[in-house]
Amino acid sequence: VQDGEAVRLLTERITAALRQQTVNLEQWEDAPIVDTAMKIWEAEQGAEPEPAARVARLGEATRILAEVRGAPTPESNQLMRDVMMHQRRLARLQLRPADLVADVGASRSANWATRRLPLVLPLWAALAAAGWLLFVLPYHLTGMLVGRFPLESDTRSTWKLLIGTALYTVWVVGLAMVGLLWHGAGVGLLILVGVPIVGLAGLLVRERWRGASADVRRWALLRSRRRLVASLRTLQHDLGQRLDQLFVQHAPRGSA
C-alpha cells in the first residue's frame, strides 16, 4: 500500500508540474514529447525518481523544448520525431522506457514475487471485493453522468472527480442514515467511518493487483521477446545519448 501511495503521489506531482509547464510550450501536443524525452533520459542515466528532482528536470526539459521550437534545426526536429516514434513503439507493447533497462533476472523476479505474496491472501481478496461492492453503484452513476456532457478530454477528469466526490459523499451519508434509523446511532457512526475506510483499502488492493498484473505481463514480454527488446534497448540508448547532448547544449550558462 505504501508503494502505491508513493507512486500515486509522484504521479500527481509530475502531472501538476507538467500542466504548469506546458503553458510555456508552443503547442499542447509538445507535452507528451517532454514527458517521453524525460523518461528516456532518466532511464538511460539511472536518474533518481525523487519527486522534487523530477519536477526540476521537467521544468528544464520544457524550457529546452521551447528553445528548440523557437530555433529548430534538422537534427533537433529529427530527434523529436525519433522520440515520439520510440514512444509509439513502446505504447504498442505496453512498455515504458524504464522497462528496457530493468533487471528481469531470476533472483530479482523471485524477490518481487515474494514481496507481493500477501496480495493473494483471502483477507485482501475479501477487502477488495467488499470495497468494490460498497461503491459500485455511485461509481457507475458517476460515469453515466459525466458521459452525458460534451466535455473536453483535459476537463473530463476534473468533472468526474467533482461529481464523484459529491455522489460518494451522499452515498455514504445515506448508508449511515439507514444504519442509524434501523439500528441506532452506534451503527450509523460505524458505517459513516468504516465504509470509506473499507472502500479506500479495497481500492488500494485492487490497484496493487492491477500493478502486479501489468508487471507480470511486462516481465513475460521482456523475457520472451529478447531480440525485439534488445533492438529497442539499442534505439533507446542512442536516443538517451542524443537527448543528453541536447540538454548539455542548452544548459544554462555557468551550470556544470
Side-chain angles (χ1 to χ4, degrees), residues 33 36-37 40 64-65 68 73-87 235-247 249-250:
I33 300 179
T36 301
I40 291 172
I64 290 171
L65 182 56
V68 169
T73 65
E75 292 79 11
S76 64
N77 287 337
Q78 185 61 50
L79 176 56
M80 294 302 103
R81 287 193 293 268
D82 291 344
V83 165
M84 294 312 297
M85 179 64 72
H86 185 66
Q87 191 277 333
L235 289 171
Q236 180 167 291
H237 181 69
D238 175 68
L239 284 174
Q241 290 183 323
R242 292 161 65 190
L243 285 168
D244 192 55
Q245 292 173 2
L246 181 68
F247 293 163
Q249 292 171 2
H250 289 264

Side-chain angles (χ1 to χ4, degrees), residues 165-243:
T165 299
L167 288 177
Y168 278 51
T169 301
V170 171
W171 176 254
V172 172
V173 171
L175 291 177
M177 291 299 297
V178 171
L180 185 150
L181 294 175
W182 282 10
H183 300 286
V187 173
L189 180 61
L190 180 62
I191 293 175
L192 187 64
V193 175
V195 166
I197 293 175
V198 172
L200 178 59
L203 175 62
L204 292 177
V205 173
R206 295 194 300 278
E207 286 183 349
R208 293 297 297 273
W209 281 354
R210 284 191 287 268
S213 176
D215 287 343
V216 169
R217 192 204 62 79
R218 285 191 291 266
W219 176 86
L221 188 149
L222 293 170
R223 296 276 294 185
S224 63
R225 306 187 64 178
R226 295 178 184 272
R227 292 181 62 181
L228 173 61
V229 172
S231 66
L232 289 174
R233 282 174 177 161
T234 300
L235 289 171
Q236 180 167 291
H237 181 69
D238 175 68
L239 284 174
Q241 290 183 323
R242 292 161 65 190
L243 285 168

Side-chain angles (χ1 to χ4, degrees), residues 145-147 149-157 159-160 163:
L145 290 176
V146 173
F149 297 99
L151 301 172
E152 298 293 335
S153 58
D154 59 337
T155 60
R156 182 173 297 274
S157 296
W159 279 103
K160 192 171 184 178
I163 294 175

